[in-house]
Amino acid sequence: GVVVRGRELIPGSAEALQMLREAAVPFMFMTNGGGLIERAKARELSAMLGDTSVDASHVLLSHTPMRELSKRYRNRRVLVVGARDTVNVAKSYGFDFDGGWAVTPAQVL
């Protein structure tokens, strides 16, 4: 279900999460959003839900699958395109900007 719409917590979300925890039901937060690392999104959700146990392992962002691609494309040129904190996200996944293997459109033009 939806727990957050925009910046607003959906009423009952915190209680629903507590019920899942009490029933020992595993859960994850999935979003088509991105632009920040999973740890930051977990902190954001944790604050909104009032649940300090939400961590990065509970979060799947639109770009999370790219983490595996950093291994696949090691030592190969990749173009990283996105908004907000995209370069820092890509760096956290292991893409090599310092070595010049990962570049942004601004570096190509």
Side-chain angles (χ1 to χ4, degrees), residues 12-105:
S13 295
E15 295 82 4
L17 178 60
Q18 183 59 36
M19 290 171 59
L20 291 173
R21 288 202 182 283
E22 289 171 1
V25 174
F27 64 90
M28 286 194 70
F29 297 98
M30 298 173 65
T31 178
N32 60 352
L36 68 165
I37 59 175
E38 289 79 0
R39 186 174 59 246
K41 187 61 163 182
R43 280 194 303 264
E44 183 181 293
L45 289 167
S46 181
M48 292 180 86
L49 292 163
D51 185 337
T52 59
S53 64
V54 175
D55 63 33
S57 70
H58 294 112
V59 176
L60 180 65
L61 302 171
S62 60
H63 50 68
T64 300
M66 296 298 180
R67 183 183 312 272
E68 291 302 312
L69 289 179
S70 71
K71 298 170 191 158
R72 183 175 176 186
Y73 290 100
R74 183 174 309 288
N75 297 326
R76 293 178 64 189
R77 178 88 56 207
V78 295
L79 178 65
V80 177
V81 179
R84 284 181 59 188
D85 211 17
T86 304
V87 169
N88 287 331
V89 170
K91 282 182 179 180
S92 78
Y93 288 170
F95 286 96
D96 184 7
F97 285 86
D98 296 331
W101 290 107
V103 296
T104 64

